[in-house]
Amino acid sequence: MEIYHSKSKKHLEELNYIKKKYNTISWFRLLCVVFFFISIYYYIKNSNPFYSVLAAVFFFAFILLMRFHSKLLFKRKITEALLDINNKELDYLEKQKIPFENGLEFNDFHHPYAYDLDIFGEHSLFQNLNRTATFIGKKTLAKQCLTLLSNEEILRNHQAIEELTAKLDWRQEFLALGKISQDDQSSYKTLLQWSKFDSEPITKANIWISKLSPVLLLVVFLGYWITSNTLFLNIFGLLFVFNLAFLGKFMKRIQIEIANSSNISKIISQYGLLMKKIEEESFQSEKLIDLQQQLTLKKENASVHFKQLAVLFSYMDSIGNLVTTILFNGTFLFNVHVLKSLIVWKNEHAKALEDWMEVIGEFEMLNSLANLSYNNPKFVFPELNTNYEISFSELSHPLLNAKNRVGNDMDFQPQSFVILTGSNMSGKSTFLRTLGINMVLTGMGAPVCATMGNVHPLPVLVSMRLSDSLSDSESYFFAEIKRLKQIMDELEKGPAFVLLDEILRGTNSDDKRNGTIEVVKKIIAKKAIGAIATHDIEVCLTTNDFPELLINKCFEVEIQNDELHFDYKLRDGICKNKSATFLMKKMGVI
């Protein structure tokens, strides 16, 4: 946490210095403008060449100050973003708030675990991990939270995350560039739609006309300038009108090419800066090097190609200015040439554009996981196996406060399925979520909240917290049955990690007990690994029939000084103590 305090203080000092410099230059710019007009005034009044030279000096000084001003403005935005990044990390680590987007739009109620394990939404896994700034970054992180990687890809992620964990400055600078881009889903989709829209090339005849007409107009203008013959002036006017009419032929195509693209040149330029940041960094891990190499086409970096595209879109934006459109197109057919260049760029680079964007998304996703690792140095990368063995030491929920969370050892061998009992509030559901979240993190290639892990990554299937689907006219019970059917169907494809919390709550006791026992039998027959939480002691007796596959674990509650005491420590066996009656008596319910 100290590093974030130090960086926040440093960036605040830098920002104050930049603001002072920025304001000073603004005053000098204003003075240049004032003295420029004063010089022009005295030149007109006295016809003294000295004042014309002075006006030129102030004009060029203004241009130089403008460029310097623009660079300072960019630096100011970056510094403001860096300050914001470090302040948000402090807020997060000090548990004041979670100041990051929660990804609720990615929630999928039909996914095997997204809703049950709180992957998206307030206080979710995504919100705690999210250190992305672009839409593609957010989308890539969300997809990764829902996807199980192969063992090989998990190990590649381990190496990449470990390397990025040490690159704090680079990660923050990359995030700052993303933040100032102000990218959103609309901009991302607009750019992709543009790249996939099939644009017909301009015909050779039209290309020749677009080249010859401006040249001919220039020749006519020179003819008039040399001879002062009004015939040349008349021809010049006709060619000027011809050029505008010729532009009209392409106006519809131009409007289609730049549809909904306002300010997109700025965002494309920022994408280019993100790519350049990746291209210029030195990486050691295999995955980061592979991603870096994807940003090359025709022996040129993707950032160079994106800069060209940003310039072309910036030029095309001029079509919205009537005066500029008439002047530039009447003389040079400016927008026709830009249209031609845009189509050429698209034909040469469009197929690679989405891949380049995905590289940015991958880096933002990996940076988010590296930030998790950096903020939690005690988290470990689990060892992987292919023997369906899963074990953890001091396993805790990664989103709980480090000061309060309680670690537990968990080993799914030789028995592969746990029947978990415990009174209300003893920690059963939290422990199931702890198992689920850490298995999800394992499948992403992220570190887990444990001191040791040896895991065979498996698909995670969960039935813990379903909601009535009123739009589908479903009761809670029917929604739960559908989820159990989904789990059974997935288990037909192969073993998985299954978590069930007090299933079949929508039916009577006998039906619930018998149904739960049959579900457990079918799940273990399909070689599932995992746990089920229950209050029914008779379900626990199933371990007698399958001692090689099932084991009982529990969380106990103690009454100390007339108060309930929960230690949240996992024990062997079946829960013996009860808290419901005691709590109701204490609160005067019974």
Side-chain angles (χ1 to χ4, degrees), residues 212-364:
L212 288 174
S213 184
V215 171
L216 187 58
L217 185 138
L218 180 61
V219 169
V220 170
F221 175 76
L222 289 173
Y224 174 73
W225 186 66
I226 294 169
T227 66
S228 298
N229 190 329
T230 55
L231 177 63
F232 285 111
L233 193 61
N234 292 334
I235 297 173
F236 181 91
L238 289 172
L239 285 172
F240 192 92
V241 172
F242 171 80
N243 285 346
L244 291 177
F246 187 73
L247 170 70
K249 182 180 177 181
F250 295 93
M251 280 301 292
K252 187 174 180 180
R253 290 191 61 182
I254 290 171
Q255 294 296 344
I256 291 172
E257 289 292 336
I258 64 171
N260 304 316
S261 65
S262 58
N263 295 323
I264 200 168
S265 60
K266 177 187 172 185
I267 293 168
I268 294 170
S269 178
Q270 291 301 127
Y271 281 142
L273 290 175
L274 286 167
M275 292 172 188
K276 189 176 181 181
K277 189 73 177 171
I278 296 169
E279 293 159 356
E280 291 178 345
E281 185 64 15
S282 175
F283 296 112
Q284 305 300 319
S285 62
E286 182 184 341
K287 180 163 187 175
L288 297 183
I289 292 171
D290 287 349
L291 288 170
Q292 191 180 50
Q293 289 175 347
Q294 289 177 37
L295 296 179
T296 304
L297 182 68
K298 297 180 180 178
K299 297 182 180 180
E300 271 198 325
N301 289 334
S303 61
V304 175
H305 297 300
F306 254 66
K307 187 176 181 180
Q308 293 168 352
L309 182 61
V311 169
L312 290 173
F313 266 104
S314 178
Y315 287 161
M316 196 60 92
D317 281 345
S318 65
I319 199 77
N321 186 307
L322 182 61
V323 175
T324 305
T325 300
I326 293 173
L327 182 61
F328 279 51
N329 290 287
T331 52
F332 307 117
L333 287 170
F334 179 77
N335 286 100
V336 176
H337 291 291
V338 175
L339 175 64
K340 172 180 156 296
S341 297
L342 267 177
I343 294 171
V344 169
W345 194 99
K346 185 189 292 188
N347 291 337
E348 292 180 352
H349 306 94
K351 290 181 180 178
L353 185 143
E354 188 169 4
D355 293 336
W356 293 339
M357 305 277 280
E358 287 177 356
V359 169
I360 292 175
E362 281 288 319
F363 264 93
E364 287 202 278

Side-chain angles (χ1 to χ4, degrees), residues 118-176:
D118 298 314
I119 300 299
F120 304 106
E122 286 300 311
H123 305 286
S124 63
L125 176 66
F126 181 91
Q127 189 177 28
N128 281 267
L129 292 178
N130 183 22
R131 301 300 187 275
T132 66
T134 68
F135 175 75
I136 183 61
K138 190 164 63 166
K139 180 182 175 185
T140 304
L141 178 60
K143 181 182 178 183
Q144 194 61 83
C145 286
L146 303 178
T147 306
L148 172 65
L149 297 175
S150 66
N151 282 24
E152 180 185 0
E153 196 60 27
I154 289 172
L155 291 174
R156 277 162 54 88
N157 273 11
H158 285 180
Q159 295 171 355
I161 292 165
E162 283 183 306
E163 181 175 357
L164 288 171
T165 299
K167 291 179 178 287
L168 176 62
D169 290 341
W170 187 88
R171 284 191 287 109
Q172 290 199 344
E173 288 164 9
F174 188 81
L175 178 56

Side-chain angles (χ1 to χ4, degrees), residues 21 34 40 49 66 132 182 197 210 215 256 279 293-294 319 323 330 366 368 409 420 428 442 493 517 541 545 583:
K21 207 170 183 180
V34 171
I40 292 293
M66 278 283 290
T132 66
Q182 297 181 326
F197 176 74
S210 68
V215 171
I256 291 172
E279 293 159 356
Q293 289 175 347
Q294 289 177 37
I319 199 77
V323 175
L366 290 169
S368 294
D409 295 344
L420 185 64
K428 298 191 306 300
T442 298
K493 302 174 186 176
I517 291 171
L541 301 180
D545 300 324
L583 193 58

Side-chain angles (χ1 to χ4, degrees), residues 7-75:
K7 286 179 138 328
S8 179
K9 182 180 177 182
K10 174 191 167 189
H11 293 310
L12 182 59
E13 290 172 354
E14 286 179 358
L15 182 59
N16 289 333
Y17 174 74
I18 290 169
K19 283 181 177 179
K20 288 179 182 178
K21 207 170 183 180
Y22 184 87
N23 292 335
T24 301
I25 291 172
S26 296
W27 278 106
F28 277 118
R29 280 175 55 200
L30 180 61
L31 288 173
C32 284
V33 171
V34 171
F35 286 124
F36 170 78
F37 282 111
I38 290 173
S39 300
I40 292 293
Y41 170 77
Y42 279 105
Y43 173 72
I44 294 171
K45 186 176 180 180
N46 302 324
S47 299
N48 189 335
F50 169 77
Y51 291 111
S52 64
V53 173
L54 200 60
V57 169
F58 284 122
F59 177 77
F60 284 112
F62 177 79
I63 298 298
L64 288 173
L65 288 171
M66 278 283 290
R67 295 187 64 180
F68 195 44
H69 205 256
S70 296
K71 289 180 180 179
L72 264 184
L73 179 60
F74 177 77
K75 193 174 180 181

